[in-house]
Amino acid sequence: MAFYPMPVVLVGANVKEKPNFLAIGWFVNAGYKPPKVAVVLNKAHYTNQGIKENGTFSVCIPSDDMIVAADYCGLFSGAKVDKSKVFDVFYGKLKTAPMITECPVNLECKLDKTVDNGQHEMFIGDVISTYAEEKYLTNGTPDLQKTKPFILAAHGSRAGYYTLGEPKCEAFSVGKNFKNK
Ligand SMILES: Cc1cc2nc3c(=O)[nH]c(=O)nc-3n(C[C@H](O)[C@H](O)[C@H](O)COP(=O)(O)O)c2cc1C
């Protein structure tokens, strides 16, 4: 649903032993226990090679002050430009999933399965670890007012990045007062 707002995340993989990142909007939670995520990547992308090579990848959630670098990673392929120095990179337990120091939240993922969707492939990964500095948390979980993610909304040829405002009301709660007919 290209017309629907999507979170922008950076997917990282080591390709030929060098970190590479691309920007995606097609990212979703895919399981709770155990925690899983899914990313949908065009088969032509360079990053796919690394995910297959190592069986690992990362989902790095950038803040809105990283928009320009994130957009760059979505415009230029690692097949043509070296994106290994765009960010400061660190590795976790899996050793081969590159993560981004500047990102408030990073998910380290082990490839669980690959779904062939024709032009695209969907990589479903087990989230092995989540990395977030204390300053981005409230009561132990990432706080969107602190991590400041941004979203992509694309309508035909018009596309823009949007930041989040204040929460409008409390989720999983406000509907309790709805008067059903
Ligand atoms: C905001 C944004 C969102 C994108 N979303 C996706 C996506 O969901 N899936 C995808 O395959 N490509 C997506 N792209 C395109 C890739 O990021 C782009 O083709 C990138 O250069 C591929 O890099 P690579 O070849 O180094 O892997 C997006 C690009 C941008 C700028």
mmCIF file of all heavy atoms in Angstrom, residues 124-162:
data_model
loop_
_atom_site.group_PDB
_atom_site.id
_atom_site.type_symbol
_atom_site.label_atom_id
_atom_site.label_comp_id
_atom_site.label_asym_id
_atom_site.label_seq_id
_atom_site.Cartn_x
_atom_site.Cartn_y
_atom_site.Cartn_z
ATOM 1 N N ILE A 124 12.318 -12.960 6.701
ATOM 2 C CA ILE A 124 11.766 -12.984 8.059
ATOM 3 C C ILE A 124 12.910 -13.352 8.994
ATOM 4 O O ILE A 124 13.623 -14.336 8.756
ATOM 5 C CB ILE A 124 10.615 -13.999 8.168
ATOM 6 C CG1 ILE A 124 9.512 -13.638 7.165
ATOM 7 C CG2 ILE A 124 10.053 -14.023 9.600
ATOM 8 C CD1 ILE A 124 8.387 -14.645 7.074
ATOM 9 N N GLY A 125 13.097 -12.531 10.004
ATOM 10 C CA GLY A 125 14.228 -12.761 10.897
ATOM 11 C C GLY A 125 13.812 -12.869 12.351
ATOM 12 O O GLY A 125 12.842 -12.239 12.789
ATOM 13 N N ASP A 126 14.523 -13.704 13.098
ATOM 14 C CA ASP A 126 14.371 -13.748 14.555
ATOM 15 C C ASP A 126 15.183 -12.609 15.142
ATOM 16 O O ASP A 126 16.375 -12.464 14.814
ATOM 17 C CB ASP A 126 14.912 -15.080 15.095
ATOM 18 C CG ASP A 126 13.966 -16.220 14.792
ATOM 19 O OD1 ASP A 126 12.815 -16.152 15.232
ATOM 20 O OD2 ASP A 126 14.382 -17.161 14.080
ATOM 21 N N VAL A 127 14.559 -11.821 16.001
ATOM 22 C CA VAL A 127 15.289 -10.717 16.653
ATOM 23 C C VAL A 127 16.079 -11.314 17.822
ATOM 24 O O VAL A 127 15.518 -11.759 18.809
ATOM 25 C CB VAL A 127 14.326 -9.613 17.139
ATOM 26 C CG1 VAL A 127 15.111 -8.486 17.802
ATOM 27 C CG2 VAL A 127 13.489 -9.097 15.981
ATOM 28 N N ILE A 128 17.388 -11.348 17.647
ATOM 29 C CA ILE A 128 18.278 -11.948 18.652
ATOM 30 C C ILE A 128 18.541 -10.965 19.789
ATOM 31 O O ILE A 128 18.560 -11.334 20.958
ATOM 32 C CB ILE A 128 19.628 -12.358 17.981
ATOM 33 C CG1 ILE A 128 19.368 -13.378 16.878
ATOM 34 C CG2 ILE A 128 20.642 -12.861 18.992
ATOM 35 C CD1 ILE A 128 18.662 -14.643 17.328
ATOM 36 N N SER A 129 18.735 -9.689 19.430
ATOM 37 C CA SER A 129 18.972 -8.655 20.438
ATOM 38 C C SER A 129 18.448 -7.313 19.937
ATOM 39 O O SER A 129 18.429 -7.067 18.724
ATOM 40 C CB SER A 129 20.468 -8.473 20.711
ATOM 41 O OG SER A 129 20.985 -9.573 21.384
ATOM 42 N N THR A 130 18.048 -6.491 20.886
ATOM 43 C CA THR A 130 17.666 -5.104 20.576
ATOM 44 C C THR A 130 18.626 -4.193 21.328
ATOM 45 O O THR A 130 18.899 -4.423 22.504
ATOM 46 C CB THR A 130 16.216 -4.828 21.038
ATOM 47 O OG1 THR A 130 15.359 -5.756 20.368
ATOM 48 C CG2 THR A 130 15.780 -3.417 20.702
ATOM 49 N N TYR A 131 19.145 -3.191 20.629
ATOM 50 C CA TYR A 131 20.114 -2.271 21.228
ATOM 51 C C TYR A 131 19.508 -0.873 21.245
ATOM 52 O O TYR A 131 19.085 -0.367 20.213
ATOM 53 C CB TYR A 131 21.415 -2.244 20.415
ATOM 54 C CG TYR A 131 22.083 -3.592 20.314
ATOM 55 C CD1 TYR A 131 21.673 -4.529 19.367
ATOM 56 C CD2 TYR A 131 23.120 -3.944 21.185
ATOM 57 C CE1 TYR A 131 22.272 -5.783 19.284
ATOM 58 C CE2 TYR A 131 23.724 -5.188 21.106
ATOM 59 C CZ TYR A 131 23.301 -6.109 20.157
ATOM 60 O OH TYR A 131 23.891 -7.343 20.080
ATOM 61 N N ALA A 132 19.441 -0.276 22.428
ATOM 62 C CA ALA A 132 18.972 1.107 22.559
ATOM 63 C C ALA A 132 19.611 1.696 23.809
ATOM 64 O O ALA A 132 19.587 1.069 24.874
ATOM 65 C CB ALA A 132 17.454 1.156 22.677
ATOM 66 N N GLU A 133 20.176 2.874 23.663
ATOM 67 C CA GLU A 133 20.799 3.503 24.838
ATOM 68 C C GLU A 133 19.726 3.958 25.826
ATOM 69 O O GLU A 133 18.612 4.298 25.427
ATOM 70 C CB GLU A 133 21.627 4.720 24.398
ATOM 71 C CG GLU A 133 22.970 4.336 23.795
ATOM 72 C CD GLU A 133 23.727 5.584 23.358
ATOM 73 O OE1 GLU A 133 23.863 6.516 24.169
ATOM 74 O OE2 GLU A 133 24.153 5.624 22.198
ATOM 75 N N GLU A 134 20.103 3.980 27.080
ATOM 76 C CA GLU A 134 19.203 4.354 28.184
ATOM 77 C C GLU A 134 18.485 5.682 27.904
ATOM 78 O O GLU A 134 17.295 5.832 28.211
ATOM 79 C CB GLU A 134 20.067 4.455 29.463
ATOM 80 C CG GLU A 134 19.295 4.555 30.745
ATOM 81 C CD GLU A 134 18.484 3.316 31.087
ATOM 82 O OE1 GLU A 134 19.003 2.207 30.878
ATOM 83 O OE2 GLU A 134 17.332 3.478 31.531
ATOM 84 N N LYS A 135 19.193 6.631 27.287
ATOM 85 C CA LYS A 135 18.609 7.974 27.082
ATOM 86 C C LYS A 135 17.389 7.949 26.145
ATOM 87 O O LYS A 135 16.633 8.917 26.093
ATOM 88 C CB LYS A 135 19.670 8.939 26.546
ATOM 89 C CG LYS A 135 20.208 8.604 25.180
ATOM 90 C CD LYS A 135 21.242 9.643 24.739
ATOM 91 C CE LYS A 135 21.849 9.264 23.404
ATOM 92 N NZ LYS A 135 22.897 10.141 22.955
ATOM 93 N N TYR A 136 17.202 6.856 25.387
ATOM 94 C CA TYR A 136 16.057 6.769 24.471
ATOM 95 C C TYR A 136 14.869 6.028 25.085
ATOM 96 O O TYR A 136 13.847 5.827 24.434
ATOM 97 C CB TYR A 136 16.465 6.049 23.180
ATOM 98 C CG TYR A 136 17.523 6.778 22.401
ATOM 99 C CD1 TYR A 136 18.778 6.212 22.192
ATOM 100 C CD2 TYR A 136 17.267 8.040 21.863
ATOM 101 C CE1 TYR A 136 19.758 6.884 21.479
ATOM 102 C CE2 TYR A 136 18.242 8.714 21.156
ATOM 103 C CZ TYR A 136 19.486 8.130 20.961
ATOM 104 O OH TYR A 136 20.439 8.803 20.265
ATOM 105 N N LEU A 137 15.028 5.568 26.324
ATOM 106 C CA LEU A 137 13.989 4.738 26.942
ATOM 107 C C LEU A 137 13.154 5.501 27.962
ATOM 108 O O LEU A 137 13.627 6.447 28.584
ATOM 109 C CB LEU A 137 14.631 3.532 27.647
ATOM 110 C CG LEU A 137 15.630 2.684 26.857
ATOM 111 C CD1 LEU A 137 16.127 1.536 27.732
ATOM 112 C CD2 LEU A 137 15.011 2.146 25.570
ATOM 113 N N THR A 138 11.910 5.061 28.100
ATOM 114 C CA THR A 138 11.070 5.463 29.224
ATOM 115 C C THR A 138 10.480 4.173 29.783
ATOM 116 O O THR A 138 9.914 3.370 29.024
ATOM 117 C CB THR A 138 9.945 6.421 28.776
ATOM 118 O OG1 THR A 138 10.558 7.601 28.225
ATOM 119 C CG2 THR A 138 9.051 6.831 29.940
ATOM 120 N N ASN A 139 10.635 3.952 31.066
ATOM 121 C CA ASN A 139 10.204 2.708 31.715
ATOM 122 C C ASN A 139 10.719 1.467 30.986
ATOM 123 O O ASN A 139 9.991 0.492 30.785
ATOM 124 C CB ASN A 139 8.671 2.644 31.821
ATOM 125 C CG ASN A 139 8.119 3.771 32.656
ATOM 126 O OD1 ASN A 139 8.771 4.238 33.594
ATOM 127 N ND2 ASN A 139 6.934 4.246 32.309
ATOM 128 N N GLY A 140 11.944 1.536 30.489
ATOM 129 C CA GLY A 140 12.597 0.364 29.900
ATOM 130 C C GLY A 140 12.285 0.081 28.449
ATOM 131 O O GLY A 140 12.815 -0.872 27.871
ATOM 132 N N THR A 141 11.424 0.873 27.822
ATOM 133 C CA THR A 141 11.149 0.632 26.393
ATOM 134 C C THR A 141 11.395 1.914 25.588
ATOM 135 O O THR A 141 11.267 3.028 26.127
ATOM 136 C CB THR A 141 9.689 0.163 26.142
ATOM 137 O OG1 THR A 141 8.810 1.094 26.764
ATOM 138 C CG2 THR A 141 9.432 -1.222 26.697
ATOM 139 N N PRO A 142 11.732 1.758 24.306
ATOM 140 C CA PRO A 142 12.003 2.932 23.478
ATOM 141 C C PRO A 142 10.820 3.901 23.471
ATOM 142 O O PRO A 142 9.670 3.489 23.344
ATOM 143 C CB PRO A 142 12.255 2.346 22.093
ATOM 144 C CG PRO A 142 12.750 0.966 22.361
ATOM 145 C CD PRO A 142 11.988 0.500 23.578
ATOM 146 N N ASP A 143 11.119 5.167 23.625
ATOM 147 C CA ASP A 143 10.110 6.220 23.698
ATOM 148 C C ASP A 143 10.177 7.020 22.395
ATOM 149 O O ASP A 143 11.208 7.631 22.085
ATOM 150 C CB ASP A 143 10.450 7.109 24.908
ATOM 151 C CG ASP A 143 9.439 8.215 25.112
ATOM 152 O OD1 ASP A 143 8.819 8.656 24.136
ATOM 153 O OD2 ASP A 143 9.304 8.658 26.265
ATOM 154 N N LEU A 144 9.095 6.985 21.631
ATOM 155 C CA LEU A 144 9.096 7.622 20.305
ATOM 156 C C LEU A 144 9.371 9.123 20.363
ATOM 157 O O LEU A 144 9.881 9.706 19.406
ATOM 158 C CB LEU A 144 7.763 7.384 19.597
ATOM 159 C CG LEU A 144 7.413 5.921 19.288
ATOM 160 C CD1 LEU A 144 6.104 5.838 18.525
ATOM 161 C CD2 LEU A 144 8.525 5.254 18.494
ATOM 162 N N GLN A 145 9.047 9.745 21.489
ATOM 163 C CA GLN A 145 9.329 11.182 21.632
ATOM 164 C C GLN A 145 10.833 11.414 21.760
ATOM 165 O O GLN A 145 11.325 12.507 21.534
ATOM 166 C CB GLN A 145 8.608 11.764 22.858
ATOM 167 C CG GLN A 145 7.093 11.602 22.827
ATOM 168 C CD GLN A 145 6.421 12.433 21.740
ATOM 169 O OE1 GLN A 145 6.764 13.596 21.553
ATOM 170 N NE2 GLN A 145 5.504 11.852 21.016
ATOM 171 N N LYS A 146 11.552 10.357 22.139
ATOM 172 C CA LYS A 146 13.008 10.459 22.288
ATOM 173 C C LYS A 146 13.739 9.879 21.076
ATOM 174 O O LYS A 146 14.766 10.406 20.655
ATOM 175 C CB LYS A 146 13.454 9.710 23.554
ATOM 176 C CG LYS A 146 12.896 10.285 24.837
ATOM 177 C CD LYS A 146 13.310 9.436 26.032
ATOM 178 C CE LYS A 146 12.714 9.980 27.331
ATOM 179 N NZ LYS A 146 12.911 9.059 28.462
ATOM 180 N N THR A 147 13.221 8.784 20.518
ATOM 181 C CA THR A 147 13.921 8.151 19.378
ATOM 182 C C THR A 147 13.642 8.907 18.077
ATOM 183 O O THR A 147 14.410 8.806 17.132
ATOM 184 C CB THR A 147 13.511 6.673 19.213
ATOM 185 O OG1 THR A 147 12.106 6.587 18.960
ATOM 186 C CG2 THR A 147 13.860 5.860 20.449
ATOM 187 N N LYS A 148 12.518 9.638 18.035
ATOM 188 C CA LYS A 148 12.161 10.497 16.891
ATOM 189 C C LYS A 148 12.274 9.792 15.530
ATOM 190 O O LYS A 148 13.040 10.233 14.657
ATOM 191 C CB LYS A 148 13.009 11.764 16.878
ATOM 192 C CG LYS A 148 12.851 12.655 18.103
ATOM 193 C CD LYS A 148 13.589 13.946 17.864
ATOM 194 C CE LYS A 148 13.620 14.937 18.973
ATOM 195 N NZ LYS A 148 12.748 14.849 20.091
ATOM 196 N N PRO A 149 11.526 8.700 15.324
ATOM 197 C CA PRO A 149 11.561 8.062 14.004
ATOM 198 C C PRO A 149 10.844 8.943 12.976
ATOM 199 O O PRO A 149 10.174 9.910 13.361
ATOM 200 C CB PRO A 149 10.776 6.768 14.235
ATOM 201 C CG PRO A 149 9.825 7.099 15.328
ATOM 202 C CD PRO A 149 10.527 8.088 16.219
ATOM 203 N N PHE A 150 10.975 8.635 11.722
ATOM 204 C CA PHE A 150 10.225 9.377 10.692
ATOM 205 C C PHE A 150 9.558 8.392 9.755
ATOM 206 O O PHE A 150 9.917 7.229 9.696
ATOM 207 C CB PHE A 150 11.116 10.378 9.942
ATOM 208 C CG PHE A 150 12.315 9.777 9.259
ATOM 209 C CD1 PHE A 150 12.273 9.451 7.915
ATOM 210 C CD2 PHE A 150 13.479 9.528 9.968
ATOM 211 C CE1 PHE A 150 13.382 8.906 7.278
ATOM 212 C CE2 PHE A 150 14.589 8.982 9.344
ATOM 213 C CZ PHE A 150 14.545 8.671 7.999
ATOM 214 N N ILE A 151 8.542 8.897 9.064
ATOM 215 C CA ILE A 151 7.765 8.013 8.199
ATOM 216 C C ILE A 151 7.742 8.550 6.770
ATOM 217 O O ILE A 151 7.954 9.744 6.532
ATOM 218 C CB ILE A 151 6.326 7.821 8.725
ATOM 219 C CG1 ILE A 151 5.636 9.162 8.936
ATOM 220 C CG2 ILE A 151 6.313 7.003 10.000
ATOM 221 C CD1 ILE A 151 4.209 9.036 9.432
ATOM 222 N N LEU A 152 7.491 7.632 5.863
ATOM 223 C CA LEU A 152 7.416 7.961 4.435
ATOM 224 C C LEU A 152 5.959 7.906 4.001
ATOM 225 O O LEU A 152 5.254 6.946 4.311
ATOM 226 C CB LEU A 152 8.224 6.915 3.654
ATOM 227 C CG LEU A 152 8.000 6.846 2.142
ATOM 228 C CD1 LEU A 152 8.601 8.062 1.444
ATOM 229 C CD2 LEU A 152 8.606 5.565 1.573
ATOM 230 N N ALA A 153 5.509 8.940 3.317
ATOM 231 C CA ALA A 153 4.195 8.882 2.688
ATOM 232 C C ALA A 153 4.397 9.213 1.214
ATOM 233 O O ALA A 153 4.993 10.243 0.885
ATOM 234 C CB ALA A 153 3.237 9.856 3.337
ATOM 235 N N ALA A 154 3.951 8.320 0.357
ATOM 236 C CA ALA A 154 4.155 8.508 -1.081
ATOM 237 C C ALA A 154 2.808 8.436 -1.783
ATOM 238 O O ALA A 154 2.065 7.472 -1.603
ATOM 239 C CB ALA A 154 5.093 7.443 -1.613
ATOM 240 N N HIS A 155 2.485 9.479 -2.535
ATOM 241 C CA HIS A 155 1.244 9.502 -3.304
ATOM 242 C C HIS A 155 1.640 9.741 -4.755
ATOM 243 O O HIS A 155 1.953 10.872 -5.121
ATOM 244 C CB HIS A 155 0.320 10.636 -2.854
ATOM 245 C CG HIS A 155 0.099 10.674 -1.372
ATOM 246 N ND1 HIS A 155 -0.874 9.946 -0.752
ATOM 247 C CD2 HIS A 155 0.760 11.330 -0.394
ATOM 248 C CE1 HIS A 155 -0.815 10.164 0.548
ATOM 249 N NE2 HIS A 155 0.178 10.996 0.791
ATOM 250 N N GLY A 156 1.647 8.687 -5.552
ATOM 251 C CA GLY A 156 2.069 8.828 -6.942
ATOM 252 C C GLY A 156 3.483 9.359 -7.003
ATOM 253 O O GLY A 156 4.385 8.817 -6.381
ATOM 254 N N SER A 157 3.670 10.489 -7.687
ATOM 255 C CA SER A 157 5.016 11.034 -7.835
ATOM 256 C C SER A 157 5.415 11.901 -6.634
ATOM 257 O O SER A 157 6.553 12.339 -6.528
ATOM 258 C CB SER A 157 5.103 11.858 -9.125
ATOM 259 O OG SER A 157 4.154 12.898 -9.052
ATOM 260 N N ARG A 158 4.444 12.191 -5.739
ATOM 261 C CA ARG A 158 4.759 13.019 -4.577
ATOM 262 C C ARG A 158 5.140 12.128 -3.409
ATOM 263 O O ARG A 158 4.423 11.201 -3.076
ATOM 264 C CB ARG A 158 3.555 13.877 -4.178
ATOM 265 C CG ARG A 158 3.350 15.065 -5.098
ATOM 266 C CD ARG A 158 2.290 15.999 -4.552
ATOM 267 N NE ARG A 158 1.054 15.258 -4.268
ATOM 268 C CZ ARG A 158 0.333 15.430 -3.167
ATOM 269 N NH1 ARG A 158 0.698 16.282 -2.250
ATOM 270 N NH2 ARG A 158 -0.773 14.745 -2.972
ATOM 271 N N ALA A 159 6.265 12.395 -2.801
ATOM 272 C CA ALA A 159 6.662 11.602 -1.638
ATOM 273 C C ALA A 159 7.323 12.516 -0.626
ATOM 274 O O ALA A 159 8.060 13.435 -0.986
ATOM 275 C CB ALA A 159 7.627 10.505 -2.066
ATOM 276 N N GLY A 160 7.055 12.273 0.624
ATOM 277 C CA GLY A 160 7.649 13.111 1.667
ATOM 278 C C GLY A 160 7.937 12.317 2.920
ATOM 279 O O GLY A 160 7.366 11.249 3.149
ATOM 280 N N TYR A 161 8.846 12.849 3.697
ATOM 281 C CA TYR A 161 9.118 12.288 5.014
ATOM 282 C C TYR A 161 8.388 13.135 6.041
ATOM 283 O O TYR A 161 8.433 14.364 5.981
ATOM 284 C CB TYR A 161 10.619 12.294 5.308
ATOM 285 C CG TYR A 161 11.416 11.403 4.384
ATOM 286 C CD1 TYR A 161 12.427 11.926 3.579
ATOM 287 C CD2 TYR A 161 11.160 10.043 4.322
ATOM 288 C CE1 TYR A 161 13.163 11.110 2.733
ATOM 289 C CE2 TYR A 161 11.888 9.216 3.478
ATOM 290 C CZ TYR A 161 12.882 9.756 2.686
ATOM 291 O OH TYR A 161 13.596 8.949 1.851
ATOM 292 N N TYR A 162 7.764 12.467 6.976
ATOM 293 C CA TYR A 162 7.003 13.147 8.020
ATOM 294 C C TYR A 162 7.552 12.745 9.387
ATOM 295 O O TYR A 162 7.984 11.609 9.573
ATOM 296 C CB TYR A 162 5.525 12.744 7.953
ATOM 297 C CG TYR A 162 4.809 13.237 6.710
ATOM 298 C CD1 TYR A 162 5.078 12.668 5.460
ATOM 299 C CD2 TYR A 162 3.876 14.247 6.778
ATOM 300 C CE1 TYR A 162 4.428 13.111 4.321
ATOM 301 C CE2 TYR A 162 3.212 14.697 5.634
ATOM 302 C CZ TYR A 162 3.505 14.118 4.409
ATOM 303 O OH TYR A 162 2.864 14.570 3.290
#
